[in-house]
């Protein structure tokens, strides 16, 4: 099976642009042979700064990477490092390593590169002298923000605010965003309990909190889901249940953990079975909320990913989330949707929760990764009642907001959400075809937009596939016990899908 690729020649204007930016690019002139599935080329002006395909010179990690591993190993633990990168030479969908290997990146720094490497629009932003001071001077945003900050937040984050939310708190990373979102939910809950919009804490509250005791440090909880991932800081880790290695040896909190639906794929073929599974999980959620209240540790908030990512790309239906949202409302719990991995367009909508079709989808939506800055949107009532209650030194980074404005411009100008839906459809169709061809290796292909995954027969085979794909110049990631996930940038076009599927097919053929 071949998945064909067709590209167009380069225009003069884009050649000029390349020269200005000093790019040395390889131009694709030929197409792969034996077309079974032919993709339409992207408008050339959008993508000709991309490379034409993978190019492998050494095994990975190559000799230079190995030397650097040894050097850094003297300073830090390097067990998780795959190889060292040459970010100067990386372009578009291709990551180049220090040994000159050029790989099609279908994993994008754990799903965090929105519009590819070295996008010309971002270089242009960096080159503008008006932006220099924003890059050079990193402020303590919570106390001394730049004058341009309100405008820049409005132009960037607020322009894509989820339905019903006009407030946003910036933060640094995903964990930091969730950690502070949890605090906002607890503060909101306690103020609700005290009554009134400006309730004051008692002397006893103030003294007991200093020694980690109630009532100042109340026995409240956050309900999370088995298989969920919300970060590795202490509070977030109590709600993370994807892998034991993340949690081992770290003290945690006795908070309720509900089962997340384990659905059968393709979803359309198992609607009855999947609905029963979702109903079972929702019943358990309600039961846990009641039990934890009886235990004297009420659930202040529920946190959930629209698609459980680290936990294995586990999907649930819009109905599941609608019901979950209603359960939260019924029991007075805040509803926190963690879009750190799903947000920013990769599912084919800007936010994955848009697929639920709700006007009031959440009380809090956290983000990071493709949004470049971390943070969370929230309902008005989830705003902490005093300054310094939700606070840290940086509270984000204004330069990331500048980049985000440009990323959003590119997404709009190049219609990237539509492109993601198109590429995602081609990717999922291709995965369906491959799973039919290799039923002993692949199963349960699933996805929304290009946020796709497929199960592999076992973990050892998954590792083999990931390594063989890398040897052939394709970077992929694992998730869950035995899944491979696809997390390309938003500029991953249909012809990249075809290129990828052909290489993936070759890898699978070698294993069959
Ligand atoms: O192994 C790790 O620590 C990984 S691998 C992928 C992630 C973390 N994702 C981060 C993440 C996420 O996917 C969701 C849904 N919520 C929160 C986080 C935490 O974000 P960071 O890593 O920025 O703290």
């Amino acid at each position: 099976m071949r998945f064909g690729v067709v590209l167009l020649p380069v225009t003069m204007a884009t050649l000029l642009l390349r020269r200005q930016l000093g790019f040395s690019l390889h131009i694709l002139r030929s197409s792969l042979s034996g077309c079974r599935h032919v993709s339409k080329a992207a408008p050339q002006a959008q993508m000709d700064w991309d490379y034409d395909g993978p190019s492998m010179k050494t095994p990975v990690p190559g000799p230079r990477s190995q030397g650097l591993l040894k050097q850094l190993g003297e300073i830090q633990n390097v067990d998780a490092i795959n190889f060292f990168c040459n970010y100067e030479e990386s372009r578009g969908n291709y990551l180049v390593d220090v040994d000159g290997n050029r790989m099609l990146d279908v994993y994008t720094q754990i799903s965090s590169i929105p519009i590819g490497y070295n996008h010309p629009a971002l270089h242009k932003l960096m080159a503008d002298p008006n932006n220099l001071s924003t890059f050079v001077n990193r402020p303590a945003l919570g106390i001394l923000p730049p004058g341009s900050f309100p405008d820049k937040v409005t132009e960037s984050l607020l322009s894509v605010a989820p339905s019903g939310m006009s407030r946003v708190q910036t933060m640094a990373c995903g964990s930091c965003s969730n950690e502070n979102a949890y605090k906002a939910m607890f503060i909101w809950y306690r103020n609700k309990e005290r009554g009134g919009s400006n309730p004051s804490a008692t002397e006893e509250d103030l003294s007991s909190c200093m020694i980690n005791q109630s009532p100042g440090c109340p026995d409240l909880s956050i309900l999370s889901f088995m298989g969920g991932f919300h970060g590795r800081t202490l509070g977030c880790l109590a709600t993370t249940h994807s892998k034991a290695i993340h949690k081992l040896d770290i003290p945690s909190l006795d908070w309720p953990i509900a089962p997340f639906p384990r659905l059968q794929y393709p979803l359309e073929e198992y609607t009855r079975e999947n609905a029963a599974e979702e109903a079972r999980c929702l019943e358990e959620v309600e039961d846990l909320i009641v039990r934890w209240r009886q235990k004297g540790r009420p659930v202040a908030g529920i946190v959930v990913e629209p698609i459980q990512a680290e936990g294995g790309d586990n999907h649930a239906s819009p109905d599941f989330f609608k019901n979950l949202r209603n359960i939260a409302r019924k029991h007075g719990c805040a509803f926190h949707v963690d879009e750190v991995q799903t947000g920013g367009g990769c599912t084919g909508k800007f936010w994955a929760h848009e697929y639920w079709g709700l006007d009031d989808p959440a009380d809090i939506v956290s983000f990071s990764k493709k949004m470049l800055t971390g943070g969370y949107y929230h309902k008005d009532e989830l705003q902490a009642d005093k300054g310094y209650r939700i606070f840290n030194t940086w509270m984000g980074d204004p330069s990331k907001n500048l980049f985000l404005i440009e990323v959003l411009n590119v997404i709009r100008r190049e219609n990237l959400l539509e492109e993601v839906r198109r590429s995602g459809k081609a990717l999922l169709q291709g995965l369906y075809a491959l799973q039919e061809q290799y039923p002993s290796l692949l199963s349960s292909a699933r996805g929304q937009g290009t946020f796709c995954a497929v199960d592999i027969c076992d973990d050892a085979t998954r590792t083999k596939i990931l390594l063989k794909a890398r040897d052939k110049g394709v970077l992929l990631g694992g998730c869950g016990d035995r899944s491979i996930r696809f997390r390309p940038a938003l500029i991953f076009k249909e012809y990249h899908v075809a290129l990828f599927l052909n290489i993936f097919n070759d890898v699978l053929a070698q294993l069959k």
Side-chain angles (χ1 to χ4, degrees):
M1 173 188 330
R2 298 308 286 175
F3 298 86
V5 182
V6 178
L7 290 178
L8 296 172
V10 181
T11 65
M12 199 56 211
T14 48
L15 272 175
L16 269 173
L17 177 66
R18 275 181 199 171
R19 205 170 305 148
Q20 278 166 7
L21 294 166
F23 285 171
S24 69
L25 290 167
H26 301 242
I27 303 159
L28 184 68
R29 298 188 188 288
S30 62
S31 62
L32 294 185
S33 57
C35 301
R36 198 195 96 149
H37 166 107
V38 179
S39 67
K40 290 177 207 77
Q44 190 61 35
Q46 294 171 16
M47 281 301 290
D48 61 350
W49 51 281
D50 203 11
Y51 285 111
D52 58 359
S55 158
M56 300 306 284
K57 300 203 159 39
T58 73
V60 179
R64 293 203 62 193
S65 262
Q66 288 188 21
L68 290 164
L69 273 169
K70 194 157 173 284
Q71 188 186 349
L72 191 63
E74 309 279 327
I75 306 169
Q76 310 184 330
N77 183 309
V78 291
D79 294 352
I81 292 182
N82 296 205
F83 52 83
F84 285 79
C85 305
N86 180 340
Y87 289 107
E88 290 77 20
E89 288 299 318
S90 301
R91 306 261 182 274
N93 290 283
Y94 293 89
L95 179 61
V96 176
D97 75 3
V98 288
D99 290 282
N101 299 301
R102 190 169 74 219
M103 291 162 267
L104 181 66
D105 196 349
V106 195
Y107 193 44
T108 59
Q109 315 282 330
I110 326 182
S111 197
S112 67
I113 303 287
I115 52 173
Y117 296 101
N118 286 305
H119 195 288
L122 301 186
H123 273 251
K124 207 168 147 210
L125 189 90
M126 281 294 289
D128 183 345
N130 293 323
N131 295 328
L132 250 179
S133 78
T134 306
F135 296 117
V136 172
N137 305 293
R138 188 171 185 181
L141 266 176
I143 51 171
L144 298 166
S148 57
F149 192 60
D151 277 351
K152 295 301 173 192
V153 173
T154 306
E155 249 183 279
S156 59
L157 290 167
L158 282 189
S159 77
V160 287
S163 170
M165 290 182 193
S166 56
R167 304 193 76 88
V168 67
Q169 181 58 68
T170 54
M171 285 288 160
C173 65
S175 309
C176 164
S177 307
N178 286 339
E179 198 76 38
N180 283 286
Y182 294 177
K183 284 174 60 181
M185 295 197 282
F186 289 134
I187 293 170
W188 164 81
Y189 194 88
R190 278 298 284 146
N191 282 348
K192 212 169 44 136
E193 279 187 336
R194 291 191 183 105
S197 60
N198 191 16
S200 20
T202 62
E203 276 307 314
E204 194 192 4
D205 287 338
L206 296 173
S207 56
S208 58
C209 77
M210 292 303 290
I211 50 168
N212 300 356
Q213 301 295 315
S214 68
C217 291
D219 260 342
L220 295 174
S221 60
I222 304 276
L223 180 142
S224 54
F225 287 88
M226 207 56 205
F229 186 101
H230 302 289
R232 295 168 179 258
T233 49
L234 281 174
C236 291
L237 196 58
T239 58
T240 284
H241 317 284
S242 53
K243 286 200 185 107
I245 190 71
H246 299 338
K247 294 173 73 75
L248 184 69
D249 297 337
I250 319 288
S252 201
L253 294 150
D254 177 23
W255 288 355
I257 307 157
F260 192 80
R262 302 308 293 226
L263 303 187
Q264 299 179 67
Y265 304 94
L267 297 175
E268 318 77 75
E269 283 179 28
Y270 296 93
T271 44
R272 201 170 41 82
E273 295 87 338
N274 288 344
E277 167 66 355
E278 292 187 337
R280 176 185 78 83
C281 296
L282 289 168
E283 208 173 295
E284 182 74 12
V285 168
E286 257 196 294
D287 193 45
L288 285 167
I289 294 174
V290 171
R291 276 180 16 226
W292 252 253
R293 186 178 298 138
Q294 285 162 357
K295 258 169 82 153
R297 192 163 289 175
V299 175
I302 297 177
V303 64
V304 71
E305 294 159 89
I307 301 169
Q308 279 192 337
E310 297 309 303
D313 274 33
N314 305 317
H315 291 245
S317 71
D319 262 354
F320 173 80
F321 288 104
K322 276 182 203 162
N323 288 324
L324 188 63
R325 212 274 174 264
N326 283 336
I327 289 173
R329 209 180 274 118
K330 175 177 158 194
H331 291 275
C333 316
F335 190 57
H336 173 175
V337 178
D338 179 348
E339 291 248 23
V340 167
Q341 192 152 163
T342 48
C346 46
T347 65
K349 294 206 186 266
F350 199 85
W351 302 109
H353 71 249
E354 290 171 47
Y355 282 103
W356 310 343
L358 295 175
D359 293 334
D360 180 28
D363 298 306
I364 292 209
V365 173
S366 55
F367 55 83
S368 189
K369 294 203 189 255
K370 285 194 173 59
M371 299 299 284
L372 305 179
T373 171
Y376 61 91
Y377 299 96
H378 60 87
K379 292 281 203 54
D380 295 0
E381 57 268 33
L382 266 291
Q383 165 142 316
D385 52 353
K386 292 185 183 66
Y388 277 121
R389 294 199 79 181
I390 299 287
F391 190 87
N392 62 38
T393 306
W394 281 331
M395 300 190 86
D397 179 347
S399 70
K400 301 299 180 197
N401 292 54
L402 285 191
F403 284 125
L404 181 60
I405 291 170
E406 212 37 57
V407 164
L408 295 174
N409 284 340
V410 170
I411 291 176
R412 290 177 187 122
R413 196 167 59 229
E414 299 182 6
N415 231 341
L416 290 186
L417 295 187
E418 199 180 307
E419 290 280 344
V420 166
R421 290 196 287 271
R422 189 178 305 141
S423 303
K425 201 166 155 196
L427 178 56
L428 197 54
Q429 290 305 327
L431 290 173
Y432 285 151
L434 289 174
Q435 98 186 356
E436 213 165 286
Q437 201 186 341
Y438 304 101
S440 60
L441 291 174
L442 303 187
S443 61
S444 296
R446 55 203 180 270
Q448 229 166 24
T450 52
F451 196 107
C452 292
V454 67
D455 284 353
I456 310 300
C457 52
D458 56 61
D459 183 26
T461 310
R462 169 173 68 175
T463 304
K464 261 190 226 160
I465 292 175
L466 293 176
L467 292 178
K468 274 184 188 294
R470 192 171 74 181
D471 285 346
K472 290 183 187 294
V474 169
L475 291 173
L476 298 167
C479 63
D481 298 334
R482 57 185 181 93
S483 308
I484 288 182
R485 63 177 144 173
F486 307 97
R487 297 288 190 273
L490 307 178
I491 55 163
F492 195 78
K493 309 286 179 187
E494 268 185 290
Y495 60 82
H496 296 106
V497 172
L499 197 68
F500 157 71
L501 288 170
N502 285 335
I503 297 173
F504 200 48
N505 185 16
D506 292 344
V507 170
L508 297 169
Q510 282 180 5
L511 283 172
K512 204 166 131 179

